[in-house]
Amino acid sequence: MEGDGIVNPITIMEPAICEKEYGKLVSLCFKVFKDGGSVRFQFHDEYPTKALAPLMLEDYRKVMVERRGEEEQFSYEHIIECMKKVIALDLKQTVNVDKDLQIRAYYAGHVLGAAMIYAKVGHDTMVYTGDYNMTPDRHLGAAQIERLQLDLLITESTYATTIRDSKYARETEFLKVVHKCISRGGKVLIPTFALGRAQELCLLLDDYWERMNLKVPIYFSAGLTIQANMYYKMLISWTSQKIKDTYATRNAFDFKHVCPFERSFINAPGPCVLFATPGMISGGFSLEVFKQWAPSEINLVTLPGYCVAGTIGHKLMSGKPTRIDLDKDTHIDVRCQIHQLSFSPHTDAKGIMDLVGLLSPQHVILVHGEKPKMALLKGRIQTELGIQCYDPANNETVFIPTNRTVKTDATKAFIKSCSIADFHISSNPLVGLTDSNCEAIELFRAVEDKKEAEGILVMDKTKRAKIVCENELMLKLGVEEHGVKFAYCCPVYIDFHEQTSHQLASGSCVALENENSSLEAARSPKCSSLQILHRRLESQICCKNLKGNPDYLKLNSITIHSCSRNFLSLPNQGGKTEADQCNISVVAGHQLIKIWLGS
C-alpha cells in the first residue's frame, strides 16, 4: 500500500506471490539472482506450481539458449536455488506474511495450480485473479471464490469482448473436423502448450477414439508433456470433480490411445494426430512440424487457443495466408486446412462480468488484454454494474482511493443505541400529497429507516479511542446541555373567500371563544391561517397527534405558529393583495421545513 492507493503488490512486498504464470516466473527468477543470489526474497505459490515450475523454467531456458542461441539469463542451478525460497500454499489457507500483509489462495481453474490471490494490507483488501476460467472443463473445475468485501479487483481481460459457444458445440465441431481430416488420410497438427489444453484435448480425443474404435495414432511431443502428465496423475485433488470421482477405478490421465511422438514420424505415411508445443507456433517443435505439413492440402492445423499478434498462429487465425515468411531467406507455403476453435482456458467476457458482479468491489483494474477490447469491457462494468473501472497501460501507475477504518472502544450505552433504528428524512418529496389544486406540498418527506447511531469519539488518558453517547460526555465533563432551535419563516397566501367561509362555518377561531370578540378579530390572519392549515393537515395526512392551540399548531417535534416578521415589503405574487398574505413560522429542532399553502 502506498498513501491512499493500492499499487501492484509485487512491487511492494518482499514475498512475491505467483498465481501460476510460469513464463512470468522467468523474470522473477532472473530478478532474484541478478545480483548473484543475494536478494532476500520468498515466493508464495501453490503446491502444483511449486512442483511444475522447475520443469517449465528449465524448458524455457533450453529453448532460449540451446535452440535460439540467446544469452543465458540464469542457469539450472539458479532454478533449483530459487525453488528453495518457495513457500507452498493450500487453497483457502490464510497466511500472515507479516504484521501488515495477509494472503489467501482461491481455486482459479485455468491450468493445474492456478489460483486467485486475496491480499489484505492493513484495512485495504484486494483480489488479483491472474488467469482464471469461470467454466468447468474435462480436466479442471471452474474458478471458486467466496463473496468478499473488496476495495479492488485486478482481473485479466484476455477475452474482454468474446462470448463463447457452448462447450458441447465446440467439442462436437472440433471432433468433426479432426475425424474428417484423418478419414481422407491427412495429418492433424494441434499446437498447444504442454500444460492445460494438451491434457484437456487428449482427454476429449482419447474418449472419442474409444467410442468410435479408431486406430489412427494420437501423439504428443515427448519431454515436457510427459512430465506434466505425470504431475496431473499425482495431483488429482486439483482436477475436475468427474476425474476425482472416477480416480478410484481409473486414472483419466492414463490415456489408452495417446503415445509419445518421435521426430522420425514427421514424414511417415498415413494419418495421425499430433499435439506439439508451443501453442502459438512461435518456434520449437510445433514450428518444425508446421514447416513439413503445411504445404499439403489434405493436412489440418487446428488452433485451440489464443495467439499473440506477430506469431505464426496469429497470422493463421487472421485469415488463411498462402505463404508465411520466417525471415528474408525462409518461407513456408501454406496449403493445408486451417481451423480455429476456442478451447482457451481463459474466461470469456461473460465470466469476467459474472466474477465482478459476484465480488462487487469498489474498484476494478483490467490487465492482460488488448487495449480496444479492454476499453469496451471497462464501459460495460461502469455502465451495467456501476463500478469504477481502470484499464492502465503498461508502466502506468493507478492510485485507488480506499475507505479507512479505525478500531475504537465503545461504551455499553453507545452499543445499545446501535440496536435502535434511527429514522432519517429522505431528500425526495412525498409523492401523492397534494392540496385541492394538485400542487405538491413539500411539508413531509419520505422516512427512511437506517440503523445508525450518533456518538462522540474521544481519547482518554490511556490514548485509546472510545465512542460515547452525547449525554455520557456531558455528564463526564460536568457541563449543561444547551439547545438551539432554528425557525424558517415564509409568506403563505390564503384565499380571502376560503378564509371567510372557514370562519363563518366555525364561528370563530380557537383563540376567540368569548362572546365579546369583534368581527375584526375573527378576521385575524393569524387565527384563520392556523385553522385552515389545521384542517388541511387533518384531512390530507391523517395527523392523529396534531395538537391545536390559539397561537400555534404542534405535530410531534414540529411547531407551526404565526410569525411577527413583516413580509409586506415582498413583491406581490400571484395577484394576491397584501391583506391576503399571512406569515407562517416552522420550528422543527434542527430540521428545516418549507410550507406552501395556497388556493
Side-chain angles (χ1 to χ4, degrees):
M1 309 303 297
E2 182 176 296
D4 290 331
I6 298 177
V7 297
N8 188 338
I10 296 297
T11 65
I12 58 173
M13 301 174 188
E14 183 171 290
I17 301 171
C18 302
E19 40 74 39
K20 133 348 276 148
E21 289 287 2
Y22 304 104
K24 296 168 187 174
L25 280 172
V26 174
S27 60
L28 288 173
C29 189
F30 170 70
K31 184 175 182 180
V32 171
F33 294 104
K34 66 180 180 179
D35 295 324
S38 61
V39 181
R40 294 187 305 107
F41 262 79
Q42 284 185 333
F43 296 90
H44 287 79
D45 61 22
E46 299 68 48
Y47 284 97
T49 307
K50 184 176 181 179
L52 288 162
L55 304 178
M56 309 299 288
L57 290 170
E58 175 59 10
D59 183 69
Y60 172 84
R61 189 191 67 81
K62 286 182 177 179
V63 169
M64 300 304 292
V65 177
E66 297 178 9
R67 296 183 186 176
R68 297 189 182 181
E70 297 186 8
E71 181 182 356
E72 184 175 71
Q73 302 294 331
F74 53 85
S75 65
Y76 179 73
E77 288 72 24
H78 283 155
I79 296 173
I80 299 303
E81 287 299 316
C82 182
M83 289 302 106
K84 292 179 181 179
K85 298 178 179 290
V86 172
I87 300 173
L89 290 174
D90 278 324
L91 292 175
K92 297 185 179 180
Q93 174 191 359
T94 300
V95 176
N96 293 309
V97 179
D98 55 35
K99 64 183 181 65
D100 295 320
L101 174 61
Q102 182 184 93
I103 61 174
R104 191 184 308 134
Y106 290 94
Y107 189 80
H110 189 64
V111 298
L112 191 68
M116 302 179 182
I117 298 297
Y118 165 84
K120 183 177 181 181
V121 182
H123 296 290
D124 300 317
T125 58
M126 61 168 285
V127 164
Y128 176 68
T129 66
D131 294 337
Y132 63 101
N133 193 354
M134 295 293 284
T135 305
D137 53 27
R138 288 176 175 265
H139 81 296
L140 293 176
Q144 300 173 13
I145 189 169
E146 59 199 13
R147 291 182 181 272
L148 300 165
Q149 296 291 329
L150 296 178
D151 294 302
L152 174 64
L153 171 67
I154 303 176
T155 175
E156 67 137 314
S157 53
T158 310
Y159 290 101
T161 59
T162 301
I163 304 293
R164 293 197 189 98
D165 295 332
S166 71
K167 175 186 170 185
Y168 176 80
R170 285 181 283 129
E171 289 183 347
T172 301
E173 182 182 346
F174 172 75
L175 293 172
K176 182 179 179 180
V177 296
V178 170
H179 197 163
K180 181 179 179 181
C181 177
I182 62 174
S183 296
R184 61 187 185 186
K187 294 178 170 60
V188 180
L189 172 63
I190 306 176
T192 183
F193 294 103
L195 193 66
R197 294 308 90 188
Q199 287 73 28
E200 177 73 9
L201 296 177
C202 278
L203 285 170
L204 176 61
L205 289 178
D206 197 58
D207 178 69
Y208 183 75
W209 254 236
E210 183 72 13
R211 288 187 287 111
M212 301 299 293
N213 194 28
L214 298 176
K215 303 302 180 182
V216 175
I218 303 174
Y219 299 111
F220 56 79
S221 54
L224 185 59
T225 307
I226 296 176
Q227 297 178 72
N229 286 346
M230 177 185 67
Y231 281 103
Y232 267 97
K233 293 177 184 179
M234 295 189 300
L235 299 166
I236 293 295
S237 62
W238 285 75
T239 59
S240 66
Q241 191 59 47
K242 182 178 180 180
I243 290 179
K244 294 176 190 175
D245 293 340
T246 59
Y247 175 68
T249 56
R250 176 179 176 267
N251 191 318
F253 298 102
D254 288 328
F255 303 118
K256 295 181 179 180
H257 303 275
V258 182
C259 53
F261 185 80
E262 300 292 338
R263 271 184 164 76
S264 59
F265 298 166
I266 292 180
N267 294 315
C272 69
V273 177
L274 171 64
F275 292 92
T277 60
M280 302 182 190
I281 321 182
S282 55
F285 192 57
S286 62
L287 177 58
E288 183 179 342
V289 175
F290 178 75
K291 292 177 182 178
Q292 301 296 322
W293 292 3
S296 176
E297 296 179 352
I298 65 172
N299 293 337
L300 168 70
V301 176
T302 179
L303 300 160
Y306 180 83
C307 293
V308 173
T311 62
I312 293 177
H314 185 269
K315 293 177 182 178
L316 296 176
M317 292 170 63
S318 301
K320 184 181 176 181
T322 58
R323 169 173 166 157
I324 292 178
D325 295 319
L326 298 181
D327 52 50
K328 63 179 182 180
D329 298 322
T330 308
H331 70 272
I332 303 172
D333 292 324
V334 181
R335 300 187 185 92
C336 64
Q337 300 299 310
I338 306 297
H339 179 260
Q340 176 191 353
L341 194 62
S342 180
F343 279 98
S344 172
H346 294 269
T347 193
D348 63 1
K350 181 181 182 302
I352 297 172
M353 293 293 290
D354 288 345
L355 180 69
V356 176
L358 171 69
L359 295 178
S360 297
Q362 297 296 315
H363 304 271
V364 174
I365 292 180
L366 302 178
V367 296
H368 200 278
E370 299 176 19
K371 190 67 175 178
K373 297 179 180 179
M374 292 170 72
L376 293 173
L377 179 60
K378 172 185 174 181
R380 283 192 63 193
I381 292 173
Q382 294 185 152
T383 303
E384 298 178 22
L385 301 179
I387 299 174
Q388 184 63 42
C389 186
Y390 309 85
D391 56 341
N394 291 338
N395 300 317
E396 180 181 347
T397 301
V398 179
F399 290 92
I400 307 298
T402 60
N403 296 324
R404 297 294 179 177
T405 58
V406 179
K407 290 184 178 180
T408 67
D409 295 331
T411 61
K412 291 182 179 179
F414 176 75
I415 295 174
K416 185 177 180 180
S417 69
C418 293
S419 63
I420 302 174
D422 185 17
F423 293 91
H424 290 260
I425 303 299
S426 170
S427 60
N428 297 319
L430 183 60
V431 179
L433 187 60
T434 60
D435 68 359
S436 58
N437 289 319
C438 299
E439 295 179 3
I441 299 177
E442 200 183 9
L443 176 59
F444 295 97
R445 298 176 181 269
V447 177
E448 298 176 349
D449 182 7
K450 293 183 180 179
K451 290 283 186 179
E452 282 188 9
E454 293 184 358
I456 300 173
L457 185 64
V458 298
M459 189 80 74
D460 58 19
K461 293 180 180 180
T462 61
K463 295 185 178 181
R464 292 186 57 136
K466 180 184 291 187
I467 302 177
V468 301
C469 291
E470 183 179 350
N471 57 350
E472 290 182 300
L473 180 63
M474 303 295 291
L475 183 63
K476 187 173 183 179
L477 297 178
V479 298
E480 296 181 2
E481 181 179 358
H482 298 274
V484 178
K485 292 185 177 180
F486 297 89
Y488 176 77
C489 299
C490 64
V492 175
Y493 302 97
I494 299 174
D495 190 279
F496 179 78
H497 298 290
E498 180 182 5
Q499 181 181 22
T500 305
S501 62
H502 168 71
Q503 291 174 354
L504 291 175
S506 60
S508 64
C509 70
V510 177
L512 304 174
E513 294 181 351
N514 59 65
E515 298 177 356
N516 298 324
S517 299
S518 64
L519 180 61
E520 287 74 13
R523 288 176 176 267
S524 168
K526 170 183 176 182
C527 175
S528 59
S529 61
L530 290 176
Q531 288 292 85
I532 294 172
L533 180 58
H534 189 174
R535 178 165 57 88
R536 289 195 181 182
L537 292 176
E538 286 186 321
S539 63
Q540 296 183 20
I541 314 180
C542 299
C543 299
K544 297 180 180 179
N545 298 324
L546 182 63
K547 297 179 181 180
N549 190 281
D551 297 316
Y552 62 85
L553 300 178
K554 186 175 181 64
L555 175 61
N556 291 338
S557 63
I558 301 175
T559 304
I560 304 173
H561 60 79
S562 296
C563 179
S564 59
R565 183 178 174 186
N566 185 8
F567 282 91
L568 297 182
S569 60
L570 294 175
N572 194 347
Q573 301 184 31
K576 307 296 182 182
T577 64
E578 294 178 352
D580 294 329
Q581 296 185 107
C582 180
N583 306 329
I584 294 294
S585 175
V586 181
V587 180
H590 297 285
Q591 300 291 334
L592 183 61
I593 307 278
K594 294 181 180 180
I595 296 179
W596 281 270
L597 185 61
S599 56

